[in-house]
Amino acid sequence: MGAIRFGIVGAGWRAEFFTRIAAAAPDVFEVPPVVARRPEKVALFTDAWGCRIYGSMDEMLEGESLDFVVTSLPWETNPELIKVLVERGVPVLSETPPAPDVPALIDLWEFVERKAGRVCVAEQYFLQPYYAALRAVIAAGKLGTVTQAQVSAAHGYHGMSLMRKLLGIGYEDATIEARSFTAPLVQGPGRDGPPASEEVGDSTQIFYWLDFDGKLGFMDFCGEQYFNWVRNNRVLVRGERGEVVNERVSILKDFRTPLYLDLLRHVAGGPGNLEGNHLKGIQLGGEWVYENPLAPASLSDDEIAIGQLLLGMAAYVGGGAPPYPLAEACQDHYLSIICAQALKEGRSLRTQRQPWAA
């Protein structure tokens, strides 16, 4: 199979991830063409990545032979562009979330179903190496049946997808409660780099409790965790035969024999190692539970996960399973919306089955 060929509509911060990944793995991806209009964005994508630039989506589709198109646009405009691409029979990998609210999600879902469109969503968190390794541990049955997942690693629909996949939840309904807590925090870096001076601001921590009638999902997150040096992520997953707390795996060999193991990252490029600078994989004991599909490309964990989505999307277009289908994206954003509503109203809410759950 030749290199994967995709195009990008949009030229924002997220769009750069896709071009950076393609440039780092030229044997896997062709550098994508980009639809961009603002001169500074045109200059960025041509100078940094050598992308071909088009002024409109129509121009790109007429000038390129693509496996699929990535839409990297704001919530408000993204659904209509997806519809246009579906009408033209073009497979779509949409930015998250695919639509801003529940009515728009339902409208988009029904349109795509009616047109038999091929639409996936670029939700990468559950594919990051650590979470992929953790899901492999769960899938192997080492924890037994998982009944609880506490996730403090991502906000909103991102966190929902992680929590739901760690629990093994599909479209089941949940009873939701929510709280928040605000405290001071020294401000850290942002998308543009480190802070210029010390400033103390408010940090609001959100707590969501989702009871899936026998399985518990708990989300705990403050937005500063994405960049702040002193706010770290935490994960706890529990089953009847063991638990995982961050990298430590506690399981039973038998009912009298506990085992305590660590999820160990293997990274090339350390002292005395001449293999390059990349993640090789993650081991549990003597077993590989994750191997980097884009090695030896030098990429961050988040970029590896997005690259995995691109690989999955190409396989889906070729007849395989979708890496993260529109239905799951709609469900995770729906759960996020109901959680935010529970927080705003200060009361317990029950989710309702939505059309995409069929």
PDB file of all heavy atoms in Angstrom, residues 188-203:
ATOM      1  N   GLY A 188       0.925  28.679  34.507  1.00  0.00           N
ATOM      2  CA  GLY A 188       2.007  28.007  33.798  1.00  0.00           C
ATOM      3  C   GLY A 188       2.014  28.365  32.328  1.00  0.00           C
ATOM      4  O   GLY A 188       1.420  29.362  31.906  1.00  0.00           O
ATOM      5  N   PRO A 189       2.678  27.548  31.514  1.00  0.00           N
ATOM      6  CA  PRO A 189       2.745  27.824  30.076  1.00  0.00           C
ATOM      7  C   PRO A 189       1.405  27.602  29.389  1.00  0.00           C
ATOM      8  O   PRO A 189       0.492  26.998  29.959  1.00  0.00           O
ATOM      9  CB  PRO A 189       3.792  26.818  29.583  1.00  0.00           C
ATOM     10  CG  PRO A 189       3.768  25.716  30.598  1.00  0.00           C
ATOM     11  CD  PRO A 189       3.435  26.354  31.901  1.00  0.00           C
ATOM     12  N   GLY A 190       1.303  28.087  28.155  1.00  0.00           N
ATOM     13  CA  GLY A 190       0.125  27.879  27.325  1.00  0.00           C
ATOM     14  C   GLY A 190       0.554  27.419  25.949  1.00  0.00           C
ATOM     15  O   GLY A 190       1.697  26.999  25.743  1.00  0.00           O
ATOM     16  N   ARG A 191      -0.340  27.522  24.996  1.00  0.00           N
ATOM     17  CA  ARG A 191      -0.018  27.096  23.634  1.00  0.00           C
ATOM     18  C   ARG A 191       1.146  27.876  23.043  1.00  0.00           C
ATOM     19  O   ARG A 191       1.869  27.379  22.180  1.00  0.00           O
ATOM     20  CB  ARG A 191      -1.245  27.266  22.734  1.00  0.00           C
ATOM     21  CG  ARG A 191      -2.346  26.251  22.994  1.00  0.00           C
ATOM     22  CD  ARG A 191      -3.492  26.448  22.002  1.00  0.00           C
ATOM     23  NE  ARG A 191      -4.520  25.430  22.166  1.00  0.00           N
ATOM     24  CZ  ARG A 191      -5.609  25.340  21.412  1.00  0.00           C
ATOM     25  NH1 ARG A 191      -5.790  26.222  20.426  1.00  0.00           N
ATOM     26  NH2 ARG A 191      -6.497  24.397  21.619  1.00  0.00           N
ATOM     27  N   ASP A 192       1.363  29.111  23.543  1.00  0.00           N
ATOM     28  CA  ASP A 192       2.411  29.967  22.979  1.00  0.00           C
ATOM     29  C   ASP A 192       3.737  29.862  23.722  1.00  0.00           C
ATOM     30  O   ASP A 192       4.687  30.566  23.397  1.00  0.00           O
ATOM     31  CB  ASP A 192       1.943  31.424  22.967  1.00  0.00           C
ATOM     32  CG  ASP A 192       0.738  31.625  22.065  1.00  0.00           C
ATOM     33  OD1 ASP A 192       0.656  30.928  21.039  1.00  0.00           O
ATOM     34  OD2 ASP A 192      -0.120  32.456  22.401  1.00  0.00           O
ATOM     35  N   GLY A 193       3.794  28.992  24.758  1.00  0.00           N
ATOM     36  CA  GLY A 193       5.056  28.813  25.458  1.00  0.00           C
ATOM     37  C   GLY A 193       4.994  29.200  26.929  1.00  0.00           C
ATOM     38  O   GLY A 193       3.919  29.461  27.484  1.00  0.00           O
ATOM     39  N   PRO A 194       6.156  29.270  27.607  1.00  0.00           N
ATOM     40  CA  PRO A 194       6.222  29.554  29.037  1.00  0.00           C
ATOM     41  C   PRO A 194       5.709  30.950  29.376  1.00  0.00           C
ATOM     42  O   PRO A 194       5.704  31.850  28.522  1.00  0.00           O
ATOM     43  CB  PRO A 194       7.722  29.435  29.357  1.00  0.00           C
ATOM     44  CG  PRO A 194       8.292  28.632  28.240  1.00  0.00           C
ATOM     45  CD  PRO A 194       7.479  28.975  27.037  1.00  0.00           C
ATOM     46  N   PRO A 195       5.297  31.167  30.634  1.00  0.00           N
ATOM     47  CA  PRO A 195       4.831  32.495  31.039  1.00  0.00           C
ATOM     48  C   PRO A 195       5.977  33.495  31.074  1.00  0.00           C
ATOM     49  O   PRO A 195       7.138  33.136  31.289  1.00  0.00           O
ATOM     50  CB  PRO A 195       4.258  32.246  32.438  1.00  0.00           C
ATOM     51  CG  PRO A 195       4.983  31.048  32.943  1.00  0.00           C
ATOM     52  CD  PRO A 195       5.252  30.193  31.747  1.00  0.00           C
ATOM     53  N   ALA A 196       5.665  34.773  30.886  1.00  0.00           N
ATOM     54  CA  ALA A 196       6.676  35.828  30.908  1.00  0.00           C
ATOM     55  C   ALA A 196       6.975  36.290  32.320  1.00  0.00           C
ATOM     56  O   ALA A 196       8.048  36.823  32.603  1.00  0.00           O
ATOM     57  CB  ALA A 196       6.211  37.013  30.057  1.00  0.00           C
ATOM     58  N   SER A 197       6.022  36.107  33.247  1.00  0.00           N
ATOM     59  CA  SER A 197       6.207  36.533  34.631  1.00  0.00           C
ATOM     60  C   SER A 197       5.310  35.693  35.523  1.00  0.00           C
ATOM     61  O   SER A 197       4.414  34.983  35.038  1.00  0.00           O
ATOM     62  CB  SER A 197       5.861  38.024  34.789  1.00  0.00           C
ATOM     63  OG  SER A 197       4.500  38.250  34.442  1.00  0.00           O
ATOM     64  N   GLU A 198       5.549  35.754  36.820  1.00  0.00           N
ATOM     65  CA  GLU A 198       4.714  34.991  37.750  1.00  0.00           C
ATOM     66  C   GLU A 198       3.375  35.688  37.962  1.00  0.00           C
ATOM     67  O   GLU A 198       3.320  36.867  38.300  1.00  0.00           O
ATOM     68  CB  GLU A 198       5.411  34.806  39.094  1.00  0.00           C
ATOM     69  CG  GLU A 198       4.547  34.034  40.085  1.00  0.00           C
ATOM     70  CD  GLU A 198       5.285  33.641  41.347  1.00  0.00           C
ATOM     71  OE1 GLU A 198       6.470  33.249  41.255  1.00  0.00           O
ATOM     72  OE2 GLU A 198       4.673  33.729  42.432  1.00  0.00           O
ATOM     73  N   GLU A 199       2.317  34.927  37.738  1.00  0.00           N
ATOM     74  CA  GLU A 199       0.966  35.413  37.992  1.00  0.00           C
ATOM     75  C   GLU A 199       0.166  34.315  38.672  1.00  0.00           C
ATOM     76  O   GLU A 199       0.311  33.141  38.341  1.00  0.00           O
ATOM     77  CB  GLU A 199       0.266  35.815  36.682  1.00  0.00           C
ATOM     78  CG  GLU A 199       0.901  36.996  35.971  1.00  0.00           C
ATOM     79  CD  GLU A 199       0.120  37.395  34.728  1.00  0.00           C
ATOM     80  OE1 GLU A 199      -1.050  36.964  34.610  1.00  0.00           O
ATOM     81  OE2 GLU A 199       0.689  38.110  33.884  1.00  0.00           O
ATOM     82  N   VAL A 200      -0.655  34.712  39.622  1.00  0.00           N
ATOM     83  CA  VAL A 200      -1.535  33.772  40.314  1.00  0.00           C
ATOM     84  C   VAL A 200      -2.960  34.032  39.860  1.00  0.00           C
ATOM     85  O   VAL A 200      -3.438  35.167  39.879  1.00  0.00           O
ATOM     86  CB  VAL A 200      -1.418  33.917  41.846  1.00  0.00           C
ATOM     87  CG1 VAL A 200      -2.388  32.971  42.548  1.00  0.00           C
ATOM     88  CG2 VAL A 200       0.014  33.644  42.294  1.00  0.00           C
ATOM     89  N   GLY A 201      -3.622  32.976  39.432  1.00  0.00           N
ATOM     90  CA  GLY A 201      -5.008  33.092  38.990  1.00  0.00           C
ATOM     91  C   GLY A 201      -5.857  32.005  39.609  1.00  0.00           C
ATOM     92  O   GLY A 201      -5.363  31.138  40.339  1.00  0.00           O
ATOM     93  N   ASP A 202      -7.138  32.038  39.317  1.00  0.00           N
ATOM     94  CA  ASP A 202      -8.060  31.017  39.814  1.00  0.00           C
ATOM     95  C   ASP A 202      -8.012  29.783  38.925  1.00  0.00           C
ATOM     96  O   ASP A 202      -7.975  29.877  37.703  1.00  0.00           O
ATOM     97  CB  ASP A 202      -9.494  31.552  39.861  1.00  0.00           C
ATOM     98  CG  ASP A 202      -9.709  32.531  41.003  1.00  0.00           C
ATOM     99  OD1 ASP A 202      -8.930  32.463  41.981  1.00  0.00           O
ATOM    100  OD2 ASP A 202     -10.643  33.343  40.926  1.00  0.00           O
ATOM    101  N   SER A 203      -8.020  28.623  39.553  1.00  0.00           N
ATOM    102  CA  SER A 203      -8.098  27.347  38.854  1.00  0.00           C
ATOM    103  C   SER A 203      -9.362  26.634  39.320  1.00  0.00           C
ATOM    104  O   SER A 203      -9.538  26.386  40.518  1.00  0.00           O
ATOM    105  CB  SER A 203      -6.869  26.483  39.154  1.00  0.00           C
ATOM    106  OG  SER A 203      -7.012  25.183  38.626  1.00  0.00           O
TER     107      SER A 203
END
